Structure formats: structure tokens, C-alpha cells
Amino acid sequence: MTEDSMVAALLREREGLVQRGLDDRVAQVDEQLKLRGYTPPAAEKSAPSEPSSTTTPPKARRQRRPETT
């Protein structure tokens, strides 16, 4: 990956924005990456992201037992 922590953080942010389809924010992050001397990956930007599908429903939260005194 990269040694620069700011570039690494921007790349993680960019990945999440691409998955959510926020193209305007992706462009802003790309601009910040360019300012730091990193060329953003062009292939991810043009490829439509597939929505994540879950095959099993999320588990219900377990309720806390009532406290006894």
C-alpha cells in the first residue's frame, strides 16, 4: 500500500465513497490524493459498485437480564 498515513486514510475513505456511489465526494478525495502526489485509481471510479447483499438477516440484540438486589 503506502507509507503515508494521510494517503492511506484518503484511500480508505475513497473506497467507502465509491461503494456508496458518492461520485462528487470521490472527486474531492481524488483531488486531495493528487495534491499529495498520489495518482488515484481510475478503474474504480468508472466501474459501478455492486450493492452488498446479505444472505442471512442480522441477529437480534440480546436483552440484558434484569438486575436483582
Side-chain angles (χ1 to χ4, degrees), residues 17-56:
L17 294 170
V18 167
Q19 290 176 356
R20 292 171 48 198
L22 301 173
D23 295 333
D24 56 333
R25 280 290 294 141
V26 171
Q28 291 174 348
V29 171
D30 286 348
E31 182 180 337
Q32 291 299 312
L33 286 167
K34 287 177 188 175
L35 290 174
R36 287 165 175 78
Y38 186 85
T39 306
E44 288 182 36
K45 187 175 181 181
S46 61
S49 61
E50 295 180 17
S52 62
S53 63
T54 57
T55 56
T56 57

Side-chain angles (χ1 to χ4, degrees), residues 4-6 12 16 19 36 44 56 64 69:
D4 186 3
S5 61
M6 179 58 88
R12 284 191 303 269
Q19 290 176 356
R36 287 165 175 78
E44 288 182 36
T56 57
R64 191 182 258 185
T69 57

Side-chain angles (χ1 to χ4, degrees), residues 61-69:
R61 290 185 176 197
R62 293 171 49 183
Q63 290 185 354
R64 191 182 258 185
R65 288 186 175 187
E67 293 184 20
T68 58
T69 57

